[in-house]
Amino acid sequence: MSTLQAKFTPIRLLALAAVLPWLVPAHGQTAAPAAAVPSSAKPASKSAEPAGGIPVKVTPDMTGAGIVSSGVTLSAIPPVTGNRSKPVASWGKPLPYPIVIADRRNNRLIEIAPDKHIVWEFPSPSLAVYRGNEDVNFSADGSQLAVSEEDNFDVHLVDYNQRALTWTYGTPDHRGKGKDLLNYPDDTHLLADGKVVTADIRNCRIVIIDPKTNEIVTQWGTTGQCKHNPPTQLDYANGATPMANGDLLVTEISGSWISRITRDSKVLWSVKAPHIRYPSDAFPTVDGKQIIVADFSKPGRVVIFDPATGKVTWEYFVKDGIGALDHCSIARELPDTGDILIVDDLHDRVLVIDRQTKAIIWQYGELNKKGHTPGLLNYPDGFDIDVFHDWKAALKQPTSAKP
């Protein structure tokens, strides 16, 4: 489908409906207050939610391409020999490490090496429980992947070695705020202590869940109270990214707020992301001192700024042409090279932007061409960097994956 509405119904469209009328003023203008959010985007009242949540109609757009695979013969998975502080050997420029992509409308996770080999893939085991994966993040030990599915209303853990779904929280195709219910969960991470954190957007909260009991052990934000007053209240939070020491970066759509909050719920700072209309999943830079955030807009933008001063230290913004972004949802600073990795959602591609020249130096996916065969993606929406597995050495073996 070619229209913005077709591509966004209903996953991002409902979230956008809550903010675009007032988050797209000219640069420098102040966004309207949260009271301007249409009533259709507000969390449902307690009386409106039946036991087991509110059923959601599944549309053809939500199921996307169905269950698909690249068809590539995969090689044996190398053992974990690296971590985020001591990565495996770098491939250097343009992409120093393989990346796992949440290929949303192909309902799969797919890992692409810097030489564009497909080295790992996880197609949906069942559309009834797994579809529309939109963010993916490695666990601290590289053995598992945390996955969020906004318009399937659930989050998952996937065993990397077994390529198997091992845990789910949320009830597929049912939205709500009661036990085992979520309402547009985004940006899920498996924390170092074994807990799972996710931003539950339309419930205006961040929840930390214990997979052993399926109980929420920590909640920031009061369910249904959508305003910026962290940690008591959050205004459509859509990101909760772990820092190296365990603190979390919390991103709120309304007002473009980013806050650093400790695990014991202390707010260390809370600032507005400069030049950003619709912040999407802020991350720390590699040194942990600055913040990088994507603007989920058209044209999109990526900003790196110092939260202590609010000063922008790097920015990518192209109004039109091949370098323009269309609703980019994640941006990360790459280890080793310092270049910038971006998922350009509605252009169906993932890019590396040279830090100095701001030129596109690596791309996977073709501009506005959807597909699931090698070289193509279908609405990629998230990624993580595989610093854990030495695929560079593995691909030298005779059993390496075909391109």
Side-chain angles (χ1 to χ4, degrees), residues 88-368:
V88 295
S90 171
W91 297 55
K93 289 175 87 75
L95 180 66
Y97 301 100
I99 54 173
V100 175
I101 300 169
D103 192 13
R104 182 169 194 151
R105 291 311 180 205
N106 281 330
N107 306 299
R108 67 175 179 178
L109 304 175
I110 188 167
E111 184 165 1
I112 309 300
D115 64 1
K116 299 188 180 179
H117 276 80
I118 296 171
V119 297
W120 184 94
E121 189 174 14
F122 178 71
S124 170
S126 167
L127 294 180
V129 68
Y130 189 101
R131 60 164 176 78
N133 44 208
E134 55 88 31
D135 271 338
V136 59
N137 294 289
F138 274 103
S139 59
D141 64 2
S143 67
Q144 298 186 76
L145 294 163
V147 180
S148 50
E149 297 185 332
E150 287 176 334
D151 65 354
N152 201 22
F153 304 92
D154 56 16
V155 299
H156 305 291
L157 293 179
V158 172
D159 185 291
Y160 183 87
N161 287 314
Q162 299 299 319
R163 297 189 183 95
L165 183 65
T166 59
W167 177 80
T168 295
Y169 185 89
T171 304
D173 301 327
H174 289 75
R175 61 180 173 87
K177 55 184 178 289
K179 183 174 176 57
D180 203 31
L181 290 169
L182 299 167
N183 197 348
Y184 281 80
D186 192 2
D187 191 30
T188 301
H189 296 261
L190 178 58
L191 302 174
D193 64 0
K195 308 296 192 301
V196 173
V197 62
T198 194
D200 192 13
I201 298 178
R202 293 185 67 205
N203 281 328
C204 291
R205 63 181 183 174
I206 301 291
V207 291
I208 299 177
I209 305 157
D210 186 345
K212 295 179 180 178
T213 63
N214 268 20
E215 297 292 336
I216 294 173
V217 295
T218 301
Q219 177 171 319
W220 297 333
T222 303
T223 305
Q225 295 183 15
C226 304
K227 61 184 293 186
H228 173 72
N229 182 29
T232 304
Q233 295 162 310
L234 298 171
D235 209 351
Y236 294 93
N238 72 341
T241 305
M243 306 283 285
N245 73 339
D247 295 348
L248 292 171
L249 277 184
V250 173
T251 308
E252 295 170 78
I253 299 171
S254 302
S256 301
W257 287 100
I258 300 172
S259 305
R260 182 169 180 168
I261 306 177
T262 67
R263 285 293 297 273
D264 60 359
S265 305
K266 180 181 179 181
V267 178
L268 299 181
W269 50 258
S270 188
V271 299
K272 288 193 173 189
H275 302 180
I276 298 293
R277 294 180 293 175
Y278 190 117
S280 186
D281 302 356
F283 275 79
T285 51
V286 173
D287 63 9
K289 296 179 180 180
Q290 298 190 63
I291 304 301
I292 181 169
V293 60
D295 187 352
F296 190 72
S297 303
K298 182 181 182 180
R301 184 191 306 259
V302 175
V303 168
I304 298 176
F305 72 97
D306 183 343
T309 64
K311 181 181 178 181
V312 173
T313 59
W314 189 88
E315 186 169 4
Y316 180 84
F317 180 69
V318 177
K319 289 185 178 180
D320 51 44
I322 195 170
L325 305 172
D326 190 351
H327 292 84
C328 50
S329 60
I330 298 285
R332 299 276 300 272
E333 184 184 43
L334 286 165
D336 185 45
T337 66
D339 294 325
I340 308 302
L341 182 64
I342 303 169
V343 59
D344 190 14
D345 297 28
L346 292 194
H347 279 156
D348 301 306
R349 61 183 181 171
V350 178
L351 308 171
V352 176
I353 305 297
D354 185 274
R355 182 68 166 261
Q356 302 303 320
T357 68
K358 298 186 180 178
I360 297 172
I361 57 174
W362 187 92
Q363 175 173 313
Y364 192 87
E366 296 185 26
L367 184 66
N368 296 326

